[in-house]
Amino acid sequence: MNFDIAISIVMTLVVAATPILLAGLGELIAEKSGVLNLGVEGMMLVGAVAGFIAASLTGFTPFGYAVAALAGICASLLFGVLALTLGSNQVATGLALTIFGTGLSSLAGAGFVGTTITRLPALFPPTLAGHPLLRLVFGYDVIVYLSIALTFAATWFLNHTRLGLILRSVGESDASAHAIGYPVTTIRYGAVAFGGALAGLAGAYYSLAVTPMWADRITAGRGWIALALVVFSSWRPWRLLLGAYIFGAVMTLELYSKAAGFALLPPEMLAMLPYLATVAALAVIAMRPSRGRLDAPRCLGKPFRAGA
Amino acid sequence: MAEATTRLELEGITKRFGEVLANDKVSLVARKGEIKALIGENGAGKSTLVKIIYGVQQADAGEMRFEGAPVVVSSPRAARRLGIGMVFQHFSLFEPMTVLENIAIGMDQALDRRKLEREVTSILAAYALPLDIHRHVDTLSVGERQRIEIVRCLLHRPKLLIMDEPTSVLTPQEADQLFDTLRKLATEGCTILYISHKLDEIRALCESATILRSGRVVGECDPRVETQRRIAEMMIGAELANIERAPGRTPGGARLLVERLSVDTDEAFGTELEEISFAARAGEILGLAGVAGNGQKELMLALSGETAAPAGAIRLDGSAIGNLPPPARRKRGLCVLPEERNGHAAVASFSLAENTLLTARERKHLTANGVIKTSALHDYARRVIAAFKVATTSEEAPARSLSGGNLQKFVVGREILQEPLVLVVDQPTWGVDAGAAAAIRQALIDLAARGSAVILVSQDLDELLSLCDRLYVMNEGRLSRPLTVAEVSIEEIGLLMGGVHGQAEPTHTRAGDAD
């Protein structure tokens, strides 16, 4: 019985970590190209509501995810037009995007509060997914495997492909990349759109899988955790995965201790933990300025104007 | 008119930026295998012209012919496809990446890593360029970084190679090595368009020169037969003022005394200073030579007070000031002018008047009880503008609206009119046109003549040799023994810059005996 609970805890952890990992990977790619998009939370909410509406109207959950990714891209392109084409301040624009996304999702989702939809089934057949032990590995839906595959893909893309090299070069020195003849802004649009797609998916994972129903502000600030994790991971996909799972563990611990009436710490304190850990992670990184600076893409957050 | 030997022809190239005519009907012809100099003051339009040739910018009017055929170069990529390569003054390098990765990024088509590595190695061997392709760019010297840019160009087998001020940051030896490479390329038929301020270099390397002034071609000459002075005068369009210095100055006592100054650096690739000791005496100009990145920046920061040092390590007229913050040092008469004009010496978006406040507040009493004395500020700025003939609309103009040379004159003037006891300047004439450079040099000489000590950090050896009484060479955070300018040779300085720590006897074997 205890064994069963342990397995459940681990599985909950993986489910909790997956959207953070997805959103983080998207942001990681965007930041590697030199764009700091603080609108992750907003893009997640837009994806969450768009995915939920699409899934509940059609009754077809995969369609919900597709729409969520598209909605995330649309939200990120809004950021792109302002920050990349018009050269607005990226921090302010990202914050505005989050506020906008929060409001838009509340408005659009108002009529859907309380409706439920069906989750995606486990990817593997019930003999594996339902097995008391093997479900630990095979018991998840396709999005979980996708997030892990994307971690692989992102690492390989950044380090072993020409496009990845170009993307990094744009993030390290936009002026140099421009001088060599790469379309800096176009490449950044691509990276931002990828970030938007993954943020959309991540948001939809909350409304379509974690709690398959619509509630206002369903992502509950996890977009910020994803953002912090990108820094925490020093812009490395595998460390991001590790970080996401650690945060997943903390959140799961909070959930189960609440359920078990186990009160080492008041639940409010536990609920604070992931966010506190985020602040701590950022502080630790800030304390090592030269290392932190070395790891960060050098043009992060800097608007680029050709011909300047 | 031997058509077959003509490589590049420009006719009537015109380019306008707003009100400014950057290029005004520029025409130019370069032959195969010719090393042609393009010279002119800052803002004469050299950079615009080569950017047009390389496709970074488009001409408003005029025609360009390459190998006899009219071409429109719409992008650097198109230029490379024609066989035009360019090494910019500011390198397009990505510091956290390796040399090979940097080269791969510069390629227009993806190339198999191993194949690229083979090609790069063979080019390095063919032109005898020392470069480790697996090192990270952050760890390389400026000369090595430049070689990456050259290799990038050579991989495209260029027919025309444009070099924009390539030697401004090289040691004399590195520059010689570059010239050997360029000469070899020229003998293979590659045309080289060489932009430089340094007239002696042009005379040594180039067989023809086109002189630009205010966007127009004002002359063609053979720099090998023309005198430097004549070329310089064509460049600025006026007679060059002689630098005047009172002969036989006898320096007074030590104004600034630096003793066993060691500074650790926080910067990832900074240079640590190791037991720097020197004295700058009243009435002398003391030079600090060296290739950039050998601790000059760190020494500047320690002298200005931006990094802290033990109190006794720096003394001004006998009192220990090593632990004082910058304003307190300025108040006592130590003024330090950093290399970077925009962003360090001046705030680009502030007006010139506001910029005087940054360093002259204490000595010129520009504030009272924390309130800015606006009229005093404007008066002082106007005095600087008048005394140093700064070309600007008024003291209200933002610093960024000034050309590099004018802003440099302004910030130098801002320090000098404070009559500092000690003035430390870093590269005061870097990227400054000949006229402004002469004015700045004269001002430094005059300041020293009035009894101040001037410390001149520069990479321009000619400047150091013509201005300084004594000089030290900085290498890897250490100072050489003091050299008396009257007795030192360029070769010796070059060797010290390269890290050969000549302790007692100077080297008597001459490197260039063969030619």
Side-chain angles (χ1 to χ4, degrees):
Chain A
M1 217 38 186
N2 271 338
F3 175 74
D4 245 17
I5 290 176
I7 299 246
S8 298
I9 289 178
V10 174
M11 289 185 71
T12 315
L13 177 165
V14 170
V15 168
T18 294
I20 300 176
L21 175 59
L22 278 174
L25 278 175
E27 179 67 12
L28 187 144
I29 296 291
E31 290 192 11
K32 270 285 183 190
S33 82
V35 184
L36 180 65
N37 183 354
L38 295 184
V40 177
E41 176 80 3
M43 298 189 296
M44 281 171 74
L45 280 168
V46 168
V49 75
F52 188 83
I53 293 174
S56 88
L57 291 183
T58 61
F60 186 50
T61 310
F63 182 66
Y65 281 109
V67 169
L70 271 178
I73 290 176
C74 290
S76 71
L77 290 182
L78 186 65
F79 173 87
V81 169
L82 291 168
L84 302 179
T85 304
L86 301 176
S88 69
N89 180 301
Q90 295 183 5
V91 171
T93 310
L95 291 176
L97 180 60
T98 287
I99 296 166
F100 171 71
T102 309
L104 184 70
S105 66
S106 290
L107 180 69
F112 292 85
V113 174
T115 21
T116 59
I117 49 97
T118 39
R119 283 193 175 108
L120 281 185
L123 182 64
F124 292 97
T127 39
L128 289 173
H131 188 277
L133 183 64
L134 291 180
R135 69 192 172 107
L136 195 58
V137 179
F138 296 107
Y140 310 100
D141 59 33
V142 64
I143 305 290
V144 170
Y145 300 108
L146 177 72
S147 71
I148 295 168
L150 279 172
T151 311
F152 262 110
T155 307
W156 179 77
F157 169 77
L158 287 172
N159 296 323
H160 297 285
T161 68
R162 181 172 167 77
L163 191 58
L165 186 65
I166 294 170
L167 182 116
R168 271 159 55 209
S169 75
V170 167
E172 294 295 346
S173 172
D174 46 16
S176 293
H178 175 70
I180 291 174
Y182 292 115
V184 173
T185 304
T186 309
I187 289 164
R188 289 190 170 167
Y189 259 106
V192 166
F194 178 77
L198 289 200
L201 273 184
Y205 201 69
Y206 283 107
S207 62
L208 300 179
V210 179
T211 51
M213 54 180 282
W214 179 251
D216 220 10
R217 302 190 185 199
I218 193 166
T219 54
R222 305 288 156 71
W224 297 109
I225 293 181
L227 263 170
L229 272 180
V230 174
V231 181
F232 182 57
S233 69
S234 314
W235 294 268
R236 288 176 180 81
W238 284 108
R239 289 204 203 162
L240 183 73
L241 180 124
L242 185 71
Y245 279 76
I246 292 172
F247 274 94
V250 176
M251 287 184 275
T252 309
L253 184 73
E254 174 210 332
L255 209 69
Y256 274 82
S257 68
K258 215 189 289 179
F262 159 87
L264 199 67
L265 282 169
E268 290 80 8
M269 289 287 270
L270 274 173
M272 252 166 60
L273 267 183
Y275 304 95
L276 212 57
T278 303
V279 173
L282 289 173
V284 165
I285 283 151
M287 273 157 59
R288 306 174 308 163
S290 51
R291 283 258 10 236
R293 234 183 289 136
L294 265 191
D295 293 336
R298 298 202 182 167
C299 290
L300 186 59
K302 227 177 72 184
F304 173 73
R305 291 271 187 172
Chain B
M1 273 290 179
E3 273 297 323
T5 64
T6 308
R7 176 140 288 154
L8 173 77
E9 274 177 281
L10 301 179
E11 216 176 281
I13 296 287
T14 301
K15 174 78 181 175
R16 179 184 285 281
F17 294 109
E19 291 291 294
V20 184
L21 206 52
N23 282 160
D24 185 6
K25 303 193 194 74
V26 173
S27 299
L28 177 155
V29 179
R31 287 173 291 109
K32 279 180 191 160
E34 182 180 15
I35 306 184
K36 189 177 193 70
L38 197 57
I39 44 190
E41 292 191 291
N42 270 26
K46 302 168 305 219
S47 291
T48 306
L49 186 66
V50 292
K51 278 181 182 164
I52 289 170
I53 298 173
Y54 192 55
V56 178
Q57 274 157 358
Q58 311 304 317
D60 299 332
E63 194 184 52
M64 170 167 162
R65 281 187 292 278
F66 195 71
E67 311 253 74
V71 287
V72 175
V73 186
S74 55
S75 69
R77 189 175 282 232
R80 288 193 291 263
R81 227 175 284 133
L82 283 172
I84 303 174
M86 176 156 173
V87 175
F88 287 88
Q89 190 177 1
H90 300 287
F91 306 146
S92 302
L93 296 177
F94 307 96
E95 297 197 348
M97 303 186 187
T98 66
V99 172
L100 197 61
E101 280 181 322
N102 267 280
I103 292 173
I105 284 184
M107 299 297 289
D108 286 332
Q109 305 94 29
L111 203 60
D112 174 65
R113 203 184 177 87
R114 245 159 298 156
K115 203 172 154 214
L116 181 67
E117 194 169 330
R118 265 202 310 279
E119 275 200 43
V120 171
T121 321
S122 76
I123 284 180
L124 291 174
Y127 293 94
L129 296 165
L131 188 63
D132 177 355
I133 57 174
H134 296 295
R135 293 248 313 259
H136 284 258
V137 172
D138 333 61
T139 65
L140 300 181
S141 75
V142 184
E144 287 171 309
R145 292 179 190 209
Q146 187 180 57
R147 280 176 215 142
I148 302 178
E149 291 280 16
I150 294 173
V151 171
R152 275 180 176 170
C153 289
L154 297 187
L155 279 167
H156 290 104
R157 317 247 169 256
K159 294 177 186 145
L160 169 66
L161 183 61
I162 305 168
M163 305 287 298
D164 190 359
E165 305 251 355
T167 58
S168 49
V169 285
L170 302 184
T171 63
Q173 281 84 356
E174 282 176 325
D176 282 344
Q177 201 163 24
L178 172 68
F179 293 166
D180 287 344
T181 307
L182 294 180
R183 286 193 192 102
K184 183 163 164 38
L185 275 167
T187 57
E188 290 168 2
C190 181
T191 304
I192 290 161
L193 206 51
Y194 188 91
I195 300 182
S196 179
H197 279 308
K198 298 187 184 170
L199 300 178
D200 55 335
E201 261 176 14
I202 286 172
R203 298 185 64 209
L205 182 71
C206 303
E207 34 204 286
S208 67
T210 295
I211 300 154
L212 288 181
R213 188 170 74 230
S214 315
R216 276 188 299 272
V217 175
V218 293
E220 298 270 344
C221 71
D222 182 343
R224 290 168 301 187
V225 299
E226 212 72 57
T227 63
Q228 280 199 30
R229 194 184 174 96
R230 179 81 196 97
I231 300 174
E233 282 171 357
M234 277 201 264
M235 244 165 76
I236 63 171
E239 299 257 315
L240 214 53
N242 274 321
I243 288 184
E244 293 163 27
R245 59 193 300 176
R249 282 175 297 162
T250 42
R255 275 252 130 104
L256 187 76
L257 194 61
V258 175
E259 267 180 324
R260 299 168 65 91
L261 171 68
S262 297
V263 175
D264 290 344
T265 174
D266 291 337
E267 291 277 319
F269 295 100
T271 308
E272 309 202 331
L273 298 181
E274 288 173 44
E275 305 219 329
I276 300 268
S277 298
F278 66 87
R281 295 171 294 184
E284 82 168 339
I285 300 183
L286 179 68
L288 292 180
V291 178
N294 273 292
Q296 293 96 327
K297 200 174 81 190
E298 288 75 13
L299 181 59
M300 288 296 289
L301 294 175
L303 291 179
S304 72
E306 286 161 271
T307 53
I314 305 172
R315 288 174 188 276
L316 179 65
D317 276 351
S319 53
I321 59 158
N323 57 349
L324 293 183
R329 294 185 193 206
R330 272 190 225 113
K331 194 172 181 179
R332 287 161 182 250
L334 169 60
C335 290
V336 178
L337 187 63
E339 176 185 358
E340 208 186 326
R341 295 183 274 268
N342 260 320
H344 200 176
V347 178
S349 55
F350 281 13
S351 74
L352 295 179
E354 287 166 327
N355 268 297
T356 61
L357 184 69
L358 298 177
T359 69
R361 189 187 72 211
E362 299 283 3
R363 287 182 79 75
K364 302 311 281 186
H365 310 290
L366 299 180
T367 58
N369 307 319
V371 179
I372 299 169
K373 294 197 270 186
T374 312
S375 63
L377 204 66
H378 283 246
D379 284 347
Y380 186 58
R382 274 197 298 271
R383 269 182 56 208
V384 173
I385 290 167
F388 283 82
K389 301 195 179 64
V390 179
T392 174
T393 48
S394 79
E395 75 277 9
E396 303 275 7
R400 77 154 72 84
S401 69
L402 268 62
S403 72
N406 269 308
L407 183 58
Q408 186 69 25
K409 281 200 284 189
F410 182 81
V411 290
V412 168
R414 178 186 71 187
E415 304 306 321
I416 285 181
L417 290 192
Q418 296 179 43
E419 293 296 330
L421 302 177
V422 178
L423 176 66
V424 188
V425 282
D426 190 359
Q427 303 264 58
T429 60
W430 194 83
V432 167
D433 58 69
I440 289 168
R441 288 175 186 149
Q442 185 64 55
L444 295 177
I445 287 172
D446 294 345
L447 180 69
R450 291 197 294 273
S452 300
V454 176
I455 298 173
L456 172 63
V457 180
S458 179
Q459 282 159 36
D460 183 341
L461 280 184
D462 291 331
E463 173 172 275
L464 289 167
L465 293 177
S466 69
L467 292 187
C468 299
D469 305 277
R470 292 184 305 142
L471 60 86
Y472 290 90
V473 178
M474 274 198 104
N475 182 255
E476 292 178 3
R478 285 187 294 265
L479 284 192
S480 70
R481 64 196 161 77
L483 306 165
T484 307
V485 166
E487 296 160 8
V488 76
S489 70
I490 290 250
E491 285 82 3
E492 195 179 341
I493 298 173
L495 287 173
L496 288 168
M497 283 166 80
V500 180
H501 298 280
Q503 294 302 329
E505 79 271 45
T507 39
H508 289 291
T509 45
R510 298 285 292 262
D513 271 351
D515 38 355

